[in-house]
Amino acid sequence: MGPLIGDNGFCALYGRALRLVGPDYTWLASTAPCQTRAAQIDALDDMLASVAPDLAQAAHAALLQTFTNLLASLIGHALARRLLDAAAVDGEEKKVQDHN
């Protein structure tokens, strides 16, 4: 996804998604301003780990759905799905590499 929208595009979409889900998950409002995708993902992981698992799961699902909807509204549903699927595969490959 990075080459298509870059860190600035990601940060803009992510920030908007946070503002949209913020009323339901006020603890997400303490998120620091986005600098890079990697830093923001790490910060989100830390925040999700700091709350009850069921709340973290609900917040993560809402944030992902909102982000996906925003991205799809800009580039279309088919391309958004392909990008997110590719990003998921890349993320899993990176995790495997990090553990080796």
Side-chain angles (χ1 to χ4, degrees):
M1 180 175 359
L4 181 65
I5 66 171
D7 279 345
N8 289 337
F10 172 84
C11 287
L13 289 174
Y14 183 77
R16 178 71 178 138
L18 281 174
R19 284 187 294 283
L20 291 172
V21 301
D24 294 327
Y25 306 99
T26 55
W27 49 273
L28 285 175
S30 64
T31 303
C34 184
Q35 298 296 318
T36 65
R37 288 183 313 272
Q40 202 60 47
I41 302 283
D42 289 344
L44 177 61
D45 286 345
D46 291 343
M47 283 194 304
L48 293 173
S50 71
V51 298
D54 57 332
L55 182 58
Q57 184 177 15
H60 184 264
L63 189 57
L64 182 59
Q65 184 64 48
T66 302
F67 182 90
T68 301
N69 290 344
L70 290 170
L71 182 62
S73 72
L74 293 173
I75 64 173
H77 289 283
L79 182 54
R81 178 54 39 211
R82 284 187 14 217
L83 288 172
L84 292 171
D85 288 346
V89 169
D90 288 345
E92 288 302 314
E93 289 174 0
K94 185 177 183 314
K95 283 181 188 177
V96 169
Q97 291 172 356
D98 290 346
H99 289 296
N100 289 333

